[in-house]
Amino acid sequence: MPDPSPSQTVAVYAARAFRVTDGVAEGEGISFADELVLDDVYQLSNEAARLPLTLSATEKSGGFVVSDASATGLAGNQVVLDCCLTLMAPDSTTYEALVLVEVVSGGVEAVYLLPLATLRPLTDYRLVGVDRHAATTRFAEVACVSFTRGTHITLASGRQIPIEEMKVGDRVLTRDDGPQAVRWIGQTTLRAVGDFAPVVIKKGALHNEHDLVVSPDHRIFVYQRQDRLGAGRNEVLIKVRHLINGESVYQRDGGFVDYFQLLFDDHQIIYAEGIAAESLLIDPRTRDALPTNATKSGRHAHRRHLDYEVQEQLLAQPDAVELLRKASSS
């Protein structure tokens, strides 16, 4: 079976939603790096809505194309990560945002803004930095699945230890391959805002003994004894952001968060706070966030469990978490 292109759905603003209100390009929407002017002041429209843009990573071009599943953009069009912006609010707080450019036959079809923190409508944001090289790294950081400080990982011995105490070479219990050695451990401290704000699965929500706190796109593995979710199979892989209900699963926004990434020779399902959860997957989306010595193979081979991911639509019901809890215990 061919390895499907990994995809990532991001919530973007159309260029016209973020316009210059004071400066050289007054009245113009956000654009690509060559057309931006430092010190121009932008505002987000009061009617602005974030749009889902699904991007498939491509090895051939080293970039992205709009996926067939995307509600924004034209399927098959190339998308370039153009630059990373630094914006300053009136209180001197800085925010980062990525500029994505959709391209057709070498020409610009559309420009999108991907904020990495929450931007408020009708607030002045002064453009104070344009980095043409940081966009791919920042996007990769969003795509990297991460556990937070304090998360207990189950070792091959059955002992559970906080992730920050783990070392390269430690043998971890995996669902599919038994004990496996950790090859690399990454650590980053980020502002816990926007796409970097962690998701909390509260104690007991999915039979976990403690809260499990992970990055929003982290996927957990659930074996349903009965297919209560209606996925057509017992085994399902689910992004935690799709389980957010504001109660038993919620996003914790604010402050800073210490993220840790665990890398194995292959993509694995391991156990964190008793929940089966994925390890870091090396693919075209994440590679730019990793050191060279961590990516000797270029990318991980496709694993069967990756075919079990369910789409957000199937989880768009208020009791999805409770259904999964019951399905995995009945």
Side-chain angles (χ1 to χ4, degrees):
M1 170 178 178
D3 187 357
S5 297
S7 63
Q8 183 85 7
T9 299
V10 291
V12 298
Y13 289 111
R16 63 181 178 276
F18 196 62
R19 294 179 180 272
V20 178
T21 56
D22 184 21
V24 174
E26 187 169 354
E28 298 294 323
I30 196 69
S31 189
F32 47 89
D34 287 344
E35 294 190 347
L36 298 176
V37 180
L38 291 178
D39 286 332
D40 274 2
V41 177
Y42 289 79
Q43 282 192 2
L44 185 66
S45 166
N46 200 36
E47 294 79 31
R50 295 186 76 167
L51 310 169
L53 176 65
T54 301
L55 304 175
S56 293
T58 59
E59 287 283 4
K60 181 178 293 186
S61 68
F64 300 86
V65 295
V66 180
S67 169
D68 290 340
S70 182
T72 307
L74 185 62
N77 282 355
Q78 183 182 5
V79 173
V80 176
L81 300 178
D82 183 73
C83 60
C84 180
L85 309 180
T86 302
L87 304 163
M88 182 177 290
D91 64 357
S92 297
T93 300
T94 57
Y95 299 83
E96 287 188 325
L98 305 184
V99 173
L100 284 64
V101 180
E102 183 180 352
V103 178
V104 178
S105 301
V108 175
E109 176 70 12
V111 177
Y112 306 105
L113 184 75
L114 172 59
L116 299 181
T118 303
L119 301 180
R120 295 184 176 83
L122 306 182
T123 298
D124 289 342
Y125 293 100
R126 186 177 299 276
L127 180 62
V128 296
V130 178
D131 191 327
R132 298 170 185 265
H133 306 292
T136 53
T137 299
R138 297 300 275 160
F139 188 87
E141 289 173 347
V142 173
C144 281
V145 298
S146 306
F147 300 96
T148 57
R149 179 179 293 276
T151 301
H152 290 83
I153 304 296
T154 302
L155 301 181
S157 65
R159 189 163 66 97
Q160 297 184 351
I161 65 170
I163 194 168
E164 63 271 19
E165 295 181 10
M166 295 188 66
K167 304 180 297 297
V168 171
D170 281 348
R171 294 176 69 78
V172 172
L173 179 64
T174 72
R175 178 185 179 274
D176 300 312
D177 297 323
Q180 291 293 313
V182 176
R183 296 305 182 195
W184 178 79
I185 301 174
Q187 179 182 353
T188 53
T189 299
L190 301 169
R191 290 179 61 198
V193 292
D195 286 334
F196 290 115
V199 172
V200 180
I201 301 177
K202 291 181 67 174
K203 173 183 176 180
L206 291 173
H207 307 293
N208 42 314
E209 293 185 3
H210 305 96
D211 289 355
L212 174 63
V213 188
V214 293
S215 56
D217 282 323
H218 210 129
R219 293 176 294 191
I220 61 172
F221 181 92
V222 177
Y223 179 81
Q224 305 178 96
R225 297 179 186 276
Q226 298 179 28
D227 182 18
R228 292 176 180 265
L229 197 60
R233 57 182 177 272
N234 295 100
E235 299 168 307
V236 290
L237 197 63
I238 299 168
K239 285 184 179 178
V240 295
R241 70 160 71 243
H242 297 160
L243 293 176
I244 294 174
N245 57 20
E247 297 178 0
S248 59
V249 181
Y250 64 93
Q251 195 158 21
R252 190 168 68 195
D253 193 285
F256 290 84
V257 60
D258 291 332
Y259 276 134
F260 293 81
Q261 301 86 35
L262 294 181
L263 183 68
F264 298 85
D265 288 336
D266 296 296
H267 185 250
Q268 298 289 353
I269 302 297
I270 63 175
Y271 297 91
E273 302 298 358
I275 292 180
E278 70 173 327
S279 65
L280 178 60
L281 172 67
I282 301 177
D283 64 23
R285 300 168 304 155
T286 62
R287 200 161 41 216
D288 285 321
L290 306 178
T292 304
N293 64 347
T295 58
K296 293 179 181 178
S297 63
R299 66 177 298 169
H300 277 144
H302 185 70
R303 301 298 301 271
R304 187 177 64 178
H305 57 245
L306 293 171
D307 298 326
Y308 300 153
E309 184 171 356
V310 297
Q311 299 304 308
E312 182 177 8
Q313 294 89 329
L314 197 60
L315 299 158
Q317 44 188 314
D319 57 350
V321 177
E322 181 63 14
L323 282 176
L324 287 170
R325 190 184 70 81
K326 290 181 177 178
S328 59
S329 59
S330 58

